[in-house]
Amino acid sequence: MEIWDLLDQEGKKTGQTIQRGKPLPEGYYHLVVHTWIVDQDHVLVTRRALEKPHPGMWETPGGSALSGESSREAAVREVKEEIGMELELSKLDQLTRTWHDSYVHDIWLVERSFSVKNLVLQREEVSEARWIKLETLDEWLGQGCLIAGLQASANEMVERAGK
């Protein structure tokens, strides 16, 4: 059973929590994180398991923050859970924060070299992981391959990663 912190309209923790799956009170949000992992001119994408909402869509490691976690801590935990990769908190740079009907979405960026063969995928969450070239990302966006929540941050990620 997951417990989430409730956030106010400014994205600050209210001191109240809610169990995952229960409707959020009006005017409250929970925190969702995703992490773009970049290696020079490539970005890691993961494919959602078929049992999840938006089955088979591509995204980056991410999910809901648990009660007591900071956004950065949640990003590190989600990457570890979904693909088995350890990240250092200090290496993550916040890319964007967007607001949606029921959640605040923080997008993180980290540069990291590794082999996809060494990843340990959490099969309930991730069915596949692969590197794609940054220049290919526009094509993926145009084809609707990536979940909608990441599309807005893709251009900023490519701009920052390309420097």
Side-chain angles (χ1 to χ4, degrees):
M1 167 178 56
E2 284 187 17
I3 303 294
W4 299 336
D5 288 320
L6 286 176
L7 308 178
D8 65 18
Q9 294 176 340
E10 295 177 3
K12 295 179 182 170
K13 292 180 183 180
T14 63
Q16 300 174 48
T17 60
I18 193 164
Q19 183 179 333
R20 179 185 190 126
K22 297 211 174 187
L24 271 67
E26 178 134 356
Y28 290 89
Y29 303 85
H30 78 281
L31 179 63
V32 173
V33 298
H34 276 92
T35 304
W36 289 102
I37 302 171
V38 178
D39 183 9
Q40 297 178 8
D41 63 345
H42 287 79
V43 63
L44 181 76
V45 291
T46 57
R47 184 171 240 167
R48 294 175 67 88
L50 294 178
E51 300 76 29
K52 291 188 65 160
H54 312 292
M57 293 289 293
W58 292 91
E59 64 177 346
T60 64
S64 294
L66 301 177
S67 180
E69 286 183 319
S70 70
S71 178
R72 185 177 264 128
E73 290 166 340
V76 167
R77 178 186 51 77
E78 286 288 346
V79 168
K80 174 69 174 162
E81 285 179 3
E82 291 188 5
I83 63 173
M85 178 188 292
E86 299 270 353
L87 295 177
E88 293 179 45
L89 288 172
S90 63
K91 301 288 183 185
L92 274 74
D93 290 320
Q94 189 164 9
L95 196 58
T96 63
R97 171 172 268 198
T98 56
W99 296 85
H100 302 269
D101 289 342
S102 63
Y103 65 96
V104 176
H105 195 187
D106 284 352
I107 310 287
W108 294 90
L109 174 67
V110 66
E111 293 186 31
R112 179 80 188 264
S113 294
F114 63 92
S115 171
V116 173
K117 293 183 288 185
N118 295 333
L119 297 178
V120 179
L121 304 182
Q122 182 184 25
R123 293 295 175 185
E124 302 83 38
E125 298 280 336
V126 178
S127 64
E128 184 181 348
R130 71 166 72 153
W131 287 114
I132 63 169
K133 287 190 161 283
L134 289 173
E135 62 195 37
T136 307
L137 196 54
D138 270 345
E139 184 179 316
W140 278 49
L141 292 171
Q143 295 172 358
C145 298
L146 216 55
I147 62 168
L150 289 173
Q151 291 181 12
S153 66
N155 290 335
E156 187 174 346
M157 180 275 299
V158 169
E159 185 178 304
R160 275 217 221 159
K163 289 184 179 181

